[in-house]
Amino acid sequence: MVKMTLIARVTDGLPLAEGLDDGRDLPDSDMYKQQVKSLFKNLSRGHNEASRMSLETGPYIFHYIIEGRVCYLTMCDRSYPKKLAFQYLEDLKNEFERVNGPNIETAARPYAFIKFDTFIQKTKKLYQDTRTQRNIAKLNDELYEVHQIMTRNVQEVLGVGEKLDQVSEMSSRLTSESRVYADKAKDLNRQALIRKWAPVAIVLGVVFLLFWVKNKLW
């Protein structure tokens, strides 16, 4: 059974639409939604390995597809057929692109296409019962295969993203510290030069002053 549906822009992780009644009766729904936000954040930073993937999380599984810089994600029971889950996402993708395609890149606020919830709810109802003739036909459709879509653990994927962020942070910190040290080295060199040549400059200045005074007096 489909439990949750969210659509987000991959370039910046901006949520564009979601099923408004998703997660109301779902235990730990806030935790799963936080995982989705973290996943979108990872995707926006380029931490995505495939345009189609399944991610196990507790008794559920996330399925997502990425098309046209948009991520379409759903969370289902583990027992729900993978084939139906991805066909559900394909239906959402096709309609979302048809209705909102020209405005996706320019959307500036979260959930700019919240009205798409109507289509999400209508489509979700069609896919809820796996025993309907329609869904059985989809399961038997040999032209649509999902065997090659990778399945991983969500914590593993999010952990990789966190590690990459930590490496990036460390690299930025080291670069910043290197600049500070370079600036300090320049200051020390400058001070060393001043200490070395200041007495010479003072002597030359005194000599020049005496020479000038002597010429004035004579």
Side-chain angles (χ1 to χ4, degrees):
M1 183 177 291
V2 175
K3 297 291 186 181
M4 190 182 297
T5 305
L6 296 101
I7 301 172
R9 192 165 57 199
V10 173
T11 49
D12 55 5
L14 183 75
L16 301 173
E18 71 171 328
L20 292 181
D21 67 344
D22 288 350
R24 286 182 181 175
D25 302 320
L26 185 68
D28 300 321
S29 62
D30 290 340
M31 180 193 74
Y32 294 118
K33 287 187 176 182
Q34 186 57 47
Q35 286 182 340
V36 173
K37 288 180 182 178
S38 297
L39 178 60
F40 287 155
K41 185 178 179 182
N42 277 6
L43 292 173
S44 70
R45 293 176 177 176
H47 300 167
N48 54 307
E49 300 178 6
S51 60
R52 283 163 171 71
M53 187 174 283
S54 298
L55 302 171
E56 296 172 340
T57 175
Y60 307 107
I61 186 164
F62 292 125
H63 302 286
Y64 74 75
I65 63 176
I66 297 174
E67 289 280 348
R69 298 184 180 181
V70 176
C71 180
Y72 304 85
L73 179 145
T74 187
M75 188 178 79
C76 309
D77 293 311
R78 287 204 187 200
S79 60
Y80 190 79
K82 189 174 185 178
K83 200 169 193 177
L84 285 183
F86 278 96
Q87 287 182 315
Y88 166 66
L89 292 175
E90 290 282 354
D91 286 355
L92 296 185
K93 174 188 74 71
N94 293 336
E95 182 66 10
F96 193 78
E97 287 180 345
R98 186 187 72 81
V99 175
N100 303 308
N103 303 313
I104 292 173
E105 288 297 324
T106 56
R109 57 185 175 84
Y111 303 105
F113 310 109
I114 198 65
K115 290 182 180 179
F116 192 70
D117 167 67
T118 302
F119 184 82
I120 291 175
Q121 299 305 328
K122 182 176 72 173
T123 308
K124 188 165 71 171
K125 285 179 182 177
L126 294 175
Y127 280 89
Q128 290 294 54
D129 188 351
T130 60
R131 297 166 298 179
T132 63
Q133 197 65 36
R134 173 185 177 279
N135 289 335
I136 290 174
K138 284 184 173 292
L139 285 170
N140 293 328
D141 183 3
E142 295 180 359
L143 295 177
Y144 194 87
E145 290 298 335
V146 294
H147 299 303
Q148 294 182 347
I149 296 176
M150 189 184 301
T151 299
R152 296 181 63 184
N153 183 275
V154 69
Q155 293 299 341
E156 178 189 347
V157 172
L158 296 181
V160 169
E162 287 174 4
K163 287 177 182 176
L164 288 173
D165 289 342
Q166 288 171 3
V167 170
S168 177
E169 252 179 63
M170 188 180 297
S171 176
S172 298
R173 190 165 60 248
L174 288 173
T175 301
S176 178
E177 288 175 356
S178 296
R179 286 178 186 153
V180 171
Y181 291 142
D183 290 341
K184 285 184 177 178
K186 287 179 182 178
D187 287 339
L188 289 172
N189 287 334
R190 194 178 300 114
Q191 291 173 18
L193 287 172
I194 290 171
R195 283 196 298 269
K196 180 179 179 180
W197 295 106
V200 176
I202 291 170
V203 170
L204 290 174
V206 171
V207 171
F208 177 79
L209 180 61
L210 292 173
F211 181 76
W212 181 78
V213 171
K214 182 180 178 182
N215 285 338
K216 284 289 184 182
L217 293 175
W218 290 96

